[in-house]
Amino acid sequence: MLLEQHLERCDNDLRLLILRIAESCKTIRSGFASRQACSDTENVYGEKQMALDKWADEVLISDLRASGLVKYLASEEQPEILEFKSKGNLGVTMDPLDGSSLIGVNLAVGTIIGIFRGNVLSPGREMVAAMYVLYGPLTTLTYTARKGVHEFVLNPEGNYVLQEENIRIPEGNIFAPGALRKEYLPGHLKWIERLESEGYKIRFSGSFVADVHQILHKGGVFTYPGFRGKENGKLRLLFEGNPIGFIVTEAGGAASNGRGNILEIKPEKVSQRTPVYIGGKREIKLIEDINREA
Ligand code: AHG
Ligand code: MN
Ligand code: MN
C-alpha cells in the first residue's frame, strides 16, 4: 500500500500536509551529495549550522508556506515562530535535519515533524500527528495521526510503500545514553547503573532520530538527561522530545523528563530544552520512581 492510500483515513488537510512533507524530504535527501560543507553561521543554540541544516530548513519553509495548509511554523533553525497567510490552520514544529554532525561521516540522519491544529506552543499531547523521515541506507517515513504508528520505505520509483503497520515497541535491552557520565545527576547515575546491571547494551550514534528508531523496533530506552551545569539537558522540547515522544507513546512506550510525561509540559518558549527519556514503559517508570524516592 502507498502512503497516499494509507492516509485516506486522516482528515484531508492532515493527509495533504503529510504528503507535502514526504515530498520535501525527497528533495532534502537528494541534496546530501552536493551540500556537505559547513556554513559559518550559528543557530539560536550557538551551534554551528551545517549548509544542509540551513538548506533543509529553507526547503521545508518554502514548501510549507506554499502549501496553504500551515499557519504557524516553528523550526529549530529559526529564532521565532513563522506565521503564514494561509487558509489552513495547522501548526508545524520541525527539526529539519537531526543528527547533522554525522553527515560528514555518512551515518543516518533524519527530519522530525510535529503537527498541531493552531498554536504550536501547546503541550505535546495536543499534537494531531507526528512523523519523521530517516535517511539511512533506506529512506523511511514513520508517522502517527493518533491511529497507530506506521512505517513506509521510499522505493526506487520514488513512492513511499507500507513496510510495517501498527508498530508496537517491544521489550528490549538497548540503551542510548547521551551526555558525559562524569556530569550525570545522582538519580540518573543510579538508573544507568541499574540498566547496566541488567545487561543493557549501548547503542548511541549521535543522531536522536536514528537512535530512537532502533529502539522503537528493538525495545529499550533513549536518554539525553539533564546533567551538572545543564539541568535541562540538550534536546529541544518542541522539535525533538515532543514529536518523537508522541510517536513512541502511540506505539505503546512512554516519554518523560525523568519526573513526568514530557507531553504534558506547556512550553514557555520555542527554544525550550528538556531532559529526555523515551522508550519502553518499564524503563521510564524506573527513572521516575528513582527520582521520586531521591
Ligand atoms: P541536531 O543535529 O538537530 O542539532 O541534533 C543533535 C542532537 C541529537 O540528534 C543527538 O542525540 C544529540 O544531539 C547528540 O549530542 P552529543 O553530541 O552531545 O552526544
Ligand atoms: Mn536535532
Ligand atoms: Mn537539527
Side-chain angles (χ1 to χ4, degrees), residues 34-44 46-58 77 97 100-101 103-104:
S34 56
R35 298 167 193 267
Q36 292 185 35
C38 254
S39 66
D40 53 5
T41 56
E42 291 186 347
N43 65 15
V44 292
E47 298 162 346
K48 209 163 176 43
Q49 289 175 302
M50 308 285 288
L52 267 166
D53 283 315
K54 292 180 70 178
W55 181 70
D57 192 44
E58 285 161 18
E77 304 301 336
L97 213 44
S100 54
S101 71
I103 283 163

Side-chain angles (χ1 to χ4, degrees), residues 43 47 53 76-77 94-100 110 236 239-240:
N43 65 15
E47 298 162 346
D53 283 315
E76 184 186 87
E77 304 301 336
M94 65 180 191
D95 181 349
L97 213 44
D98 177 63
S100 54
R236 286 135 291 216
F239 310 119
E240 294 166 320

Side-chain angles (χ1 to χ4, degrees), residues 232-253:
N232 289 327
K234 174 180 182 186
L235 298 188
R236 286 135 291 216
L237 178 64
L238 264 74
F239 310 119
E240 294 166 320
N242 270 347
I244 297 291
F246 187 75
I247 290 169
V248 172
T249 300
E250 280 291 313

Side-chain angles (χ1 to χ4, degrees), residues 3-4 7 14-24:
L3 179 62
E4 45 264 50
L7 288 168
L14 215 48
R15 183 175 69 86
L16 292 172
L17 178 61
I18 293 171
L19 285 173
R20 175 62 269 171
I21 293 168
E23 290 303 308
S24 306

Side-chain angles (χ1 to χ4, degrees), residues 43-113:
N43 65 15
V44 292
Y45 310 95
E47 298 162 346
K48 209 163 176 43
Q49 289 175 302
M50 308 285 288
L52 267 166
D53 283 315
K54 292 180 70 178
W55 181 70
D57 192 44
E58 285 161 18
V59 167
L60 282 162
I61 290 174
S62 105
D63 287 353
L64 294 180
R65 187 196 301 273
S67 73
L69 300 162
V70 176
K71 185 145 193 195
Y72 304 106
L73 176 59
S75 167
E76 184 186 87
E77 304 301 336
Q78 299 292 328
E80 309 285 348
I81 297 173
L82 308 177
E83 192 170 344
F84 301 145
K85 281 201 184 107
S86 162
K87 279 191 193 141
N89 189 38
L90 293 170
V92 172
T93 64
M94 65 180 191
D95 181 349
L97 213 44
D98 177 63
S100 54
S101 71
L102 298 181
I103 283 163
V105 292
N106 194 28
L107 288 180
V109 299
T111 298
I112 305 172
I113 304 280

